[in-house]
């Protein structure tokens, strides 16, 4: 068991206070956006096994099967297949979508062939992996996810009475304007609407923002009006109105596969994703936007996103699983009593046991947790702390820790399915 030292990424959209509060640190006065836990070379976690801190990716590279297990290496290769994060949004993130595995491999190879440096701002593909992801809210959390039905998006935009929005509304209303073929139905309507939205002139964006400012602050325009305050000159304000607005309560989750357009607006969540940093952006950002490549990646399908609730795991008392249709990552949650064994020592006498056949990262988000190995080794995690568990094959016992007051503990488990 390795206690992890993790990197906080200070992106401009980050909250000033949420991550410092989770980590028990003083705010720096600068945005703190993402806490990375894992072995991605962009910001690998570090662990100290008695010889000083070492990068987790280097530890894994030195002994892939010893760290990840033979089954994981055979299935996913000699790297940790997932990246675990805590995300804290103070203002909206960019509207974005992620490629399929084939798209990522082709895009990465093409940009390498062009000689584009890996860290160049105009780079679309920073690695050759796909980036499906799941977010699970730690409190109230808002986002945009997937396309609205064209009729609903047309009604929303029409209600603003901005003449310059006509090209977008035309695609939504009839699958294309009078001069365009109407074949292709809903998918063609959404593709045409997004393309038109990203080509709008600055005057139309300005008038749309002005119209949003006069709408009901508690009505259906409210989230888009808040976005417009932070990005008043960005076409992403209009593109965002093509997407579903989603609210999550603590413990609820969303899974986003390849090509699903989305943006996270506010709140704190844990995020688990394939080990990639490939992002194609549509707006709400000063970063690079490549509209033609974005349109190749986005899946133009409409429908309300499915909000996921955790389900108990048979055979593992206390574990609740968030199901996903892939094997590169698996997210579950443990809610442990703080002190129900009556000893007053701050440990939960019931506890539970997890197997050690796969590589995993455990993150404590409430209270405290104790990890106990079969040899008696103990690792205590405070709120905001995390641990890497190599695939040794031996089980680990989890218990909550508290102050004898019965305060509960919450622990998230990130691993793989093999």
């Amino acid at each position: 068991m390795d206690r992890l030292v993790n990197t906080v990424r200070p992106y401009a959209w980050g909250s000033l206070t949420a991550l410092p509060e989770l980590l028990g640190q003083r705010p720096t006065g600068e945005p703190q956006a993402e806490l990375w836990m894992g072995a991605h070379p962009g910001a690998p976690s570090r662990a100290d096994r008695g010889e000083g801190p070492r990068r987790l990716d280097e530890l894994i590279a030195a002994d892939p099967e010893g760290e990840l297990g033979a089954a994981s290496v055979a299935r996913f290769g000699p790297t940790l297949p997932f990246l675990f994060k805590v995300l804290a949004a103070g203002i909206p993130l960019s509207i974005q979508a992620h490629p399929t595995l084939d798209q990522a491999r082709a895009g990465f190879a093409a940009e390498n062939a062009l000689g584009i440096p890996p860290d160049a701002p105009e780079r679309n593909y920073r690695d050759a992996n796909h980036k499906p992801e799941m977010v699970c809210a730690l409190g109230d959390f808002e986002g945009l996810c997937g396309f609205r039905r064209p009729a609903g998006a047309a009604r929303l935009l029409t209600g603003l009475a901005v003449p310059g929005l006509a090209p977008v509304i035309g695609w939504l209303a009839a699958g294309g304007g009078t001069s365009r073929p109407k074949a292709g139905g809903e998918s063609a309507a959404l593709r045409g609407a997004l393309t038109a939205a990203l080509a709008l002139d600055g005057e139309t964006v300005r008038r749309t923002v002005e119209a949003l400012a006069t709408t009901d602050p508690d009505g259906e325009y409210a989230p888009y009006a808040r976005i417009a305050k932070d990005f008043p000159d960005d076409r992403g304000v209009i593109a965002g109105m093509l997407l579903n607005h989603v609210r999550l309560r603590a413990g609820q989750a969303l899974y986003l596969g390849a090509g699903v357009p989305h943006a996270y607006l506010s709140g704190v969540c844990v995020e688990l994703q394939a080990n990639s940093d490939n992002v194609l952006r549509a707006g709400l950002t000063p970063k690079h936007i490549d509209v033609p490549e974005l349109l190749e990646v986005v899946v133009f399908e409409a429908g309300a996103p499915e909000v996921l609730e955790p389900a108990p795991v048979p055979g593992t008392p206390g574990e609740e699983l968030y199901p996903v249709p892939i094997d590169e990552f698996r997210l579950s949650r443990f809610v442990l009593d703080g002190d129900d064994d009556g000893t007053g020592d701050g440990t939960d006498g019931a506890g539970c046991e997890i197997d050690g056949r796969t590589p995993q990262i455990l993150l404590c988000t409430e209270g405290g947790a104790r990890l106990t190995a079969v040899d008696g080794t103990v690792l205590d995690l405070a709120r905001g702390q995390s641990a890497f568990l190599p695939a040794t094959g031996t089980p680990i016992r989890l218990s909550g820790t508290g102050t004898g007051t019965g305060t509960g503990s919450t622990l998230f488990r990130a691993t793989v399915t093999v």
Side-chain angles (χ1 to χ4, degrees):
M1 301 181 291
D2 298 299
R3 186 188 308 280
L4 293 178
V5 178
N6 304 306
T7 297
V8 172
R9 307 304 294 264
Y11 304 137
W13 50 261
S15 167
L16 298 177
T17 59
L19 283 181
E21 195 273 333
L22 174 70
L23 298 172
Q25 300 172 352
R26 293 177 61 87
T28 65
E30 300 295 328
Q32 295 186 300
E34 294 181 350
L35 178 73
W36 282 31
M37 297 164 285
H40 192 283
S45 300
R46 298 174 300 284
D48 189 342
R49 296 181 175 174
E51 300 177 352
R54 292 187 61 190
R55 291 167 49 130
L56 186 57
D57 57 340
E58 293 177 349
L59 290 170
I60 291 171
D63 183 12
E65 290 198 1
E67 302 291 340
L68 305 176
S72 181
V73 172
R75 181 79 183 277
F76 307 114
T79 58
L80 189 65
F82 60 83
L83 176 60
F84 201 19
K85 299 178 181 178
V86 180
L87 185 153
I91 63 173
L93 284 68
S94 61
I95 298 174
Q96 58 189 255
H98 308 302
T100 65
L101 185 57
D102 287 344
Q103 289 168 336
R105 287 171 173 169
F108 185 66
E111 291 186 340
N112 282 347
L114 291 172
I116 302 175
D119 58 350
E122 70 273 20
R123 181 107 189 189
N124 290 319
Y125 298 94
R126 300 187 182 279
D127 52 66
N129 202 11
H130 62 167
K131 191 175 178 281
E133 63 191 39
M134 167 172 276
V135 293
C136 179
L138 297 183
D140 291 339
F141 189 82
E142 286 188 79
L144 306 176
C145 182
F147 285 106
R148 290 174 174 266
R149 295 293 179 188
R155 178 186 55 78
L156 198 67
L157 290 171
T158 300
L160 295 176
V162 177
L165 294 176
V168 184
I169 296 169
W171 276 107
L172 294 169
T178 57
S179 63
R180 301 184 182 92
K182 297 185 179 181
E186 191 172 77
S187 178
L190 294 171
R191 176 182 288 273
L194 180 60
T195 304
L198 297 178
L200 289 171
D201 60 274
E203 179 63 15
T204 297
V205 175
R206 183 185 66 79
R207 291 189 177 187
T208 302
V209 169
E210 289 177 351
L212 284 168
T214 64
T215 58
D216 180 358
D218 298 317
E220 64 179 337
Y221 289 103
Y224 308 102
R226 293 196 301 271
I227 293 170
K229 289 182 180 179
D230 292 312
F231 298 93
D233 302 317
D234 198 310
R235 295 178 182 86
V237 174
I238 294 95
M241 297 178 73
L242 304 178
L243 307 183
N244 298 291
H245 177 233
V246 183
R247 289 189 177 92
L248 300 181
R249 301 188 309 274
Q252 293 183 321
L254 289 173
Y255 171 77
L256 298 96
V260 177
H262 61 280
Y264 304 133
L265 303 182
S266 65
V268 182
C269 68
V270 294
E271 181 181 49
L272 184 57
Q273 61 182 68
N275 194 28
S276 173
D277 199 24
N278 287 326
V279 179
L280 282 301
R281 300 176 180 87
L284 309 185
T285 179
K287 294 183 178 180
H288 176 61
I289 295 176
D290 183 337
V291 172
E293 191 66 23
L294 172 78
L295 296 175
E296 290 298 314
V297 165
V298 169
V299 174
F300 292 97
E301 295 179 357
E306 181 183 6
V307 175
L308 301 175
E309 303 277 358
V313 177
T316 310
E319 186 176 23
E320 301 173 310
L321 178 67
Y322 295 90
V324 294
I326 61 169
D327 294 334
E328 283 98 328
F329 61 75
R330 176 186 185 276
L331 180 67
S332 60
R333 181 181 71 170
F334 296 85
V335 179
L336 305 168
D337 292 337
D339 184 28
D340 71 358
D341 62 353
T343 64
D345 67 355
T347 62
D348 175 8
C352 56
E353 190 175 89
I354 59 173
D355 69 67
R357 294 174 295 173
T358 58
Q360 50 201 301
I361 292 177
L362 303 179
L363 167 69
C364 182
T365 59
E366 290 293 341
R370 175 165 294 175
L371 317 181
T372 306
V374 292
D375 64 0
T377 302
V378 169
L379 178 62
D380 286 330
L381 297 179
R383 183 170 184 257
Q385 292 184 331
S386 59
F388 173 67
L389 278 59
T392 61
T394 58
I396 298 291
R397 181 174 179 77
L398 305 182
S399 56
T401 62
T403 58
T405 62
T407 302
S409 302
T410 301
L411 194 76
F412 283 90
R413 179 192 187 199
T415 185
V416 299
T417 300
V418 293

